[in-house]
Amino acid sequence: VARAHWAEYGRNYYARYDYEGVDKPKAEEMMKRMSEMQIAGTEIQGMKVKMNDVFAYTDPVDASISNNQGIRIIFEDGSRIIFRLSGTGVAGATVRLYLEQYEPVSGNLDQHQFEVVKPLAAIALEVSKLQEFTGRDAPSVIT
């Protein structure tokens, strides 16, 4: 079923990197720094940034708006990087890094998703300076 869908519509490769138990004030500082960046129109590691923002979620049922849901970086090819900060863990905070890249029908639809999004992860780490803020050189979990 999935292969038939990809053959007709293309494929979105996706991965989530979780950095669990990080220092919350440092993670908040990193998020604040990224919220102030103006990188639209720049090129990072060969990818052109279309837009970046702090995004809000609008509930489709009651139209309520939840602001400050995370940092979004969207590239001209439609690829996305999203950072979200969660403070609901047992200790510290969790930085969630979402990576998504579209592959059209004419592209290679049989790649491993973690390999496809690795270049996006490298860009995310460069832009966020996550390793400097958290002291982490690898995520706790990749899904």
Side-chain angles (χ1 to χ4, degrees):
V1 174
R3 291 190 188 286
H5 179 84
W6 299 339
E8 188 169 345
Y9 301 104
R11 181 177 178 186
N12 282 21
Y13 287 97
Y14 166 87
R16 186 179 92 188
Y17 289 21
D18 288 356
Y19 295 82
E20 299 173 334
V22 300
D23 181 81
K24 189 171 183 177
K26 287 285 196 183
E28 289 170 340
E29 182 183 348
M30 178 188 77
M31 296 293 283
K32 181 179 185 315
R33 182 185 155 281
M34 285 193 296
S35 74
E36 297 167 348
M37 292 187 315
Q38 300 293 321
I39 58 173
T42 65
E43 190 170 300
I44 305 168
Q45 295 188 24
M47 294 187 69
K48 187 135 186 197
V49 178
K50 179 179 180 181
M51 65 164 288
N52 67 293
D53 65 0
V54 176
F55 71 94
Y57 172 76
T58 303
D59 188 289
V61 175
D62 66 8
S64 62
I65 299 172
S66 298
N67 292 312
N68 302 315
Q69 291 299 299
I71 307 298
R72 183 170 56 173
I73 302 169
I74 299 175
F75 297 89
E76 287 192 350
D77 72 354
S79 297
R80 300 188 299 173
I81 296 171
I82 296 174
F83 287 88
R84 296 195 72 203
L85 181 60
S86 170
T88 59
V90 175
T94 298
V95 175
R96 290 199 169 94
L97 171 57
Y98 300 85
L99 308 163
E100 185 177 344
Q101 183 167 328
Y102 174 72
E103 187 74 25
V105 173
S106 60
N108 184 350
L109 304 177
D110 293 317
Q111 302 174 79
H112 192 282
Q113 71 267 27
F114 295 162
E115 292 303 314
V116 173
V117 300
K118 266 187 186 176
L120 288 175
I123 291 169
L125 295 175
E126 177 184 326
V127 168
S128 67
K129 310 238 181 284
L130 186 140
Q131 293 169 322
E132 293 172 30
F133 281 99
T134 67
R136 301 286 179 86
D137 59 0
S140 312
V141 179
I142 298 176
T143 56

